[in-house]
Amino acid sequence: MTHALIEQRYQQAREQYAEWGVDTEKALETLAQLPISLHCWQGDDVTGFEQSHGGPSGGILSTGNYPGKARTPVELRRDLEQAFALIPGRKRLNLHAVYLDTPEPVERNQIRPEHFQSWIDWAAEQRIGLDFNPTCFGHPMAASQLTLSHPDEAVRQFWVEHVRACRRIAAEMGRRLQTPCIMNIWVPDGFKDVTVDRAGARERLERSLDEALAESFPKQWMRDAVEPKLFGIGVESCTVGSAEFYLGYAIRHHLMLCLDAGHFHPTEVISDKISAVLRFVDEILLHVSRPVRWDSDHVVVLDDELRAIAREVVRQDLRRIHIGLDYFDGTINRLIAWVVGTRNMQKALLGALLEPAAEWSRLEQTFRNGCKLALMEEFRTLPLGAVYDWFCLREGVPVGAGYLPVVEEYERTVLSRR
Ligand code: RNT
Ligand code: ZN
């Protein structure tokens, strides 16, 4: 498509939306300011750079062995730079503790901000913020699938120390980069089979969290989030950090709740949970993912649930909802996975920003539900794509599938040589 055609299509789209009282320019301005936190772990199938231990379990699973995964921080940063160059708008990077950059192995309860110095310097250069996560899996001390709720005091303390160390690192990231680092705690803890002492495990998890979160840091440096889950592989019968557990914990301790799209029963959707949870917690972290039959972490596509999530983000309070991606597919080119998922998140947000929600809400409140349905269905076929293409052009990234040749070239010259 020529620039002239992209512009022409945008001008027509702009008029079409204007007829419904929607200002496309305003929507694009908002979209350009909305950061999306890309998850570093799509770049290497959640392996990380500890020389001593390899990646998951923890009951999570990345399948596939597509060639070219990043093996070092330098390679991962290079891949991320290439992906960032193909994604319009504001980005952040979400790191896990196992992505440390050290010449020698460092135990997880010993990690310090200097082990992430190269990431912090790089993020400053890229003008992006960092988010962070303790890694409570893929480690001999997590072999039993119990970490913060482990009955052995020494093991439990090891993981408490790990989370403490991570919070200090997160605070340093936020201080250096002048944007709060979101520190999200997810642990795989649970039981494979019929469980006797659920209460004991939950009591230990609560105690560990209390201990790990005792130190306080300025809110403008770091904020804590907790992430509940329904079940994982190998912990089918009981997950200690369940939805009720963490919702309660987050409310009582004024923490952020993380809602992962794959962490609930298959017919439950997080788009319905956002407005409920926001009544009781100040902020929400989203782990946007795509569960296929289970928490499979497929690449995010522009489906109805993604659009529903985006509507809630836009209609509630943009400042109280933080958008992060969480999926990992090792069967396809990993840059394509990042670019497709992030662009889809943005398209869904743009779609929501281009809807006259106040008008539709009036119809709903006056019980004109037939009209509401009709208008909402009309909007499905309005030219959202023309507006997004214009956004890409304006932001200086390839329009539409124009990024594919760039990825292919990168695969040929960089990835295939690894
Ligand atoms: C696991 C959780 C968690 C992880 C990442 C790697 O089910 O979703 O967020 O995916 O921390
Ligand atoms: Zn998650």
Side-chain angles (χ1 to χ4, degrees), residues 125-294:
E125 239 173 71
Q126 301 284 316
R127 300 171 177 282
I128 59 166
L130 290 176
D131 298 309
F132 201 55
N133 306 258
T135 312
C136 300
F137 54 84
H139 189 279
M141 295 277 246
S144 62
Q145 305 264 63
L146 292 174
T147 62
L148 289 181
S149 70
H150 205 288
D152 180 329
E153 192 55 20
V155 179
R156 194 181 70 79
Q157 273 308 323
F158 174 84
W159 291 111
V160 167
E161 282 165 21
H162 175 57
V163 177
R164 277 193 194 131
C166 286
R167 293 182 74 238
R168 286 188 206 119
I169 293 163
E172 180 57 18
M173 288 174 166
R175 191 188 67 80
R176 268 285 315 277
L177 299 169
Q178 305 252 303
T179 166
C181 173
I182 300 176
M183 223 302 293
N184 177 54
I185 302 177
W186 170 73
V187 297
D189 295 37
F191 299 89
K192 182 180 174 76
D193 219 334
V194 277
T195 311
V196 176
D197 192 11
R198 291 166 188 266
R202 291 195 165 119
E203 184 274 322
R204 289 191 295 275
L205 178 55
E206 184 186 7
R207 188 148 41 91
S208 295
L209 290 168
D210 290 351
E211 290 167 16
L213 297 170
E215 194 171 350
S216 58
F217 297 96
K219 257 191 112 173
Q220 66 272 27
W221 293 359
M222 71 87 81
R223 297 177 199 176
D224 298 286
V226 285
E227 181 180 7
K229 183 166 176 171
L230 180 66
F231 84 98
I233 308 250
V235 295
E236 291 84 358
S237 296
C238 172
T239 288
V240 184
S242 58
E244 294 77 8
F245 178 91
Y246 277 128
L247 178 61
Y249 196 88
I251 294 170
R252 180 183 284 168
H253 297 280
H254 305 285
L255 306 177
M256 219 182 271
L257 189 75
C258 171
L259 294 174
D260 183 309
H263 284 198
F264 298 89
H265 284 280
T267 58
E268 269 184 276
V269 281
I270 64 167
S271 53
D272 182 53
K273 299 179 189 296
I274 295 171
S275 55
V277 167
L278 271 185
R279 307 305 311 160
F280 304 102
V281 301
D282 289 339
E283 291 174 287
I284 287 179
L285 169 64
L286 295 179
H287 269 189
V288 181
S289 193
R290 180 165 56 104
V292 177
R293 301 184 186 278
W294 71 291

